[in-house]
Amino acid sequence: MSDIRALQARLLAWYDRHRRRLPWRAEPGVTADPYRVWLSEIMLQQTTVAAVARYYERFLARFPTIESLAAAKLDEVLSLWAGLGYYSRARSLHACARSLIAQHAGRLPRSAAQLSLLPGIGPYTAAAIAAIAFDEAVVPVDGNVERVVTRLWRVADELPGAKPAIRALAQRLTPARRHGDFAQALMDLGATICTVKRPACSSCPWQEPCAARRHADQESYPRKSAKREGKLRRGVVFVIQRADGAILVRRRPSKGLLGGMTEVPGSEWSADFDEDLAVQSAWDRLLPLAACWRRLPGHVTHAFTHFPLRLAVCHAQASAKAQAPRGHRWLPLQTIGEAAFPTLMLKVLAHAGIEPHAGHNLLKRPRPVPA
């Protein structure tokens, strides 16, 4: 392995020439805004840069400061997050903003150790904020950095067990200065050069010292243990409309999958769900509401991180005077485009032929990503 200082110098020189221009990234010589760094890092968790860029600008325009985010209602935050997926991030972001106002005078702590004590900020995010916004001598290790490090040193151990060793190797690379630039350089190297498939090794500043390149087995790293695919779950949802077009909705529990998001009523999701037997019983049990409904052909399918889902969809028309059952409410048609619907529920509404008000076209939202 080449001298660590040489590795540092090569990477920083490459970054100075090829750094990506991103909405949340400060220009050379400009101090990074901690709030923008924090917001972008939360949004980027398990989500691509291309998807986040569209949401980031819209979110920042509505909540330009920690104070404005903390003052907002959770429903407002979830509405702007709708379609970005992994909604616990939005709930934690909001909770963290309120914690910062209450306990830190509205400012983010400057060290990774202090940042990691805040809601929704884990070791990687804490290190990223500390390095990029406050120039702390830490290296945040995400998937891109894991890939670079495991190929550079040809780490044989499998993930996730290899994570501590990878973090230790990454920390060895920390330069004496420009910690924020170095952290972002590693991220850019993994995202644009040291990619999962067909890495562009001929353009890499570390091509000579890279052990995996010398052995021509770059795509074998990082090594991962076999992933267990979750079992298909099934369920049924009920799209009920009044004569004025309003649809019946409810709010999911604040904790758990899609926590706090808006949904149409439906059954639980389970692997042993029997559609034919359960549709009528689910209707009678969930919604004692007089309406004539029909089961729509086809299904709505969706892939969560740990399991795939298939939903039957039933549609009904209700009386204009129908009262919403306890825990439910009628959502006016013209506000559908502003509601905090997750991607799954947008699919359900589309399957039922629900068209939002022209001024709030769901199709004008940034393209949803897997929840």
Side-chain angles (χ1 to χ4, degrees), residues 33-36 38-39 56 58-72 77 93-94 96-98 100-101 106-108:
D33 181 338
Y35 174 59
R36 289 173 176 246
W38 168 45
L39 175 60
Y56 173 83
R58 189 175 60 142
F59 196 95
L60 191 65
R62 175 62 183 84
F63 305 118
T65 64
I66 292 175
E67 289 79 8
S68 61
L69 177 58
V77 177
L93 185 76
H94 185 246
C96 188
R98 293 193 165 184
L100 290 171
I101 294 298
R107 296 182 178 181
L108 284 156

Side-chain angles (χ1 to χ4, degrees), residues 126-163:
I129 297 170
I132 298 169
F134 303 116
D135 205 39
E136 185 176 4
V138 290
V139 175
V141 180
D142 64 354
N144 284 323
V145 177
E146 285 179 345
R147 191 163 57 253
V148 170
V149 169
T150 55
R151 289 173 177 176
L152 180 63
W153 272 285
R154 209 162 175 257
V155 177
D157 294 340
E158 293 182 339
L159 290 171
K163 285 182 178 290

Side-chain angles (χ1 to χ4, degrees), residues 40 48 55 57 67 71 93 100 104 191 195 199 204 242 247 258 263 319 326 368:
S40 67
T48 65
Y55 282 84
E57 298 283 13
E67 289 79 8
L93 185 76
L100 290 171
H104 297 275
T195 50
C204 180
R242 285 192 317 204
I247 62 172
L258 305 179
E263 68 172 2
S319 164
R326 179 177 295 181

Side-chain angles (χ1 to χ4, degrees), residues 179-357:
H179 306 119
D181 284 346
F182 191 80
Q184 292 173 106
L186 273 175
M187 296 174 190
D188 282 10
L189 186 66
T192 64
I193 300 295
C194 196
T195 50
V196 177
K197 299 293 183 180
R198 301 177 64 183
C201 296
S202 61
S203 300
C204 180
W206 286 352
Q207 59 175 293
E208 292 181 7
C210 179
R213 186 198 64 81
R214 289 200 304 272
H215 287 81
D217 59 357
Q218 301 95 310
E219 292 187 20
S220 299
Y221 298 91
R223 295 185 172 177
K224 299 179 181 180
S225 55
K227 183 178 179 181
R228 295 178 60 186
E229 184 174 346
K231 195 172 183 180
L232 174 68
R233 299 186 193 181
R234 301 177 179 88
V236 60
V237 286
F238 298 100
V239 180
I240 311 155
Q241 284 185 280
R242 285 192 317 204
D244 61 2
I247 62 172
L248 191 69
V249 298
R250 64 187 181 187
R251 183 173 176 175
R252 290 183 63 85
S254 58
K255 295 183 178 180
L257 190 64
L258 305 179
M261 301 297 289
T262 302
E263 68 172 2
V264 298
S267 69
E268 293 183 353
W269 307 334
S270 65
D272 56 358
F273 184 85
D274 188 321
E275 285 181 18
D276 296 327
L277 295 177
V279 167
Q280 181 63 53
S281 62
W283 170 265
D284 293 337
R285 177 169 50 84
L286 291 169
L287 292 167
L289 187 69
C292 294
W293 60 273
R294 65 187 180 91
R295 181 172 165 182
L296 301 179
H299 295 84
V300 168
T301 59
H302 192 73
F304 289 102
T305 305
H306 302 297
F307 66 91
L309 176 68
R310 189 178 75 179
L311 295 177
V313 181
C314 295
H315 185 266
Q317 295 287 342
S319 164
K321 297 182 179 179
Q323 297 295 311
R326 179 177 295 181
H328 297 68
R329 63 187 174 91
W330 292 105
L331 180 68
L333 185 62
Q334 64 267 26
T335 65
I336 290 177
E338 299 174 352
F341 284 116
T343 300
L344 171 62
M345 288 299 130
L346 296 182
K347 291 182 180 180
V348 168
L349 293 177
H351 192 78
I354 302 296
E355 293 292 338
H357 187 274

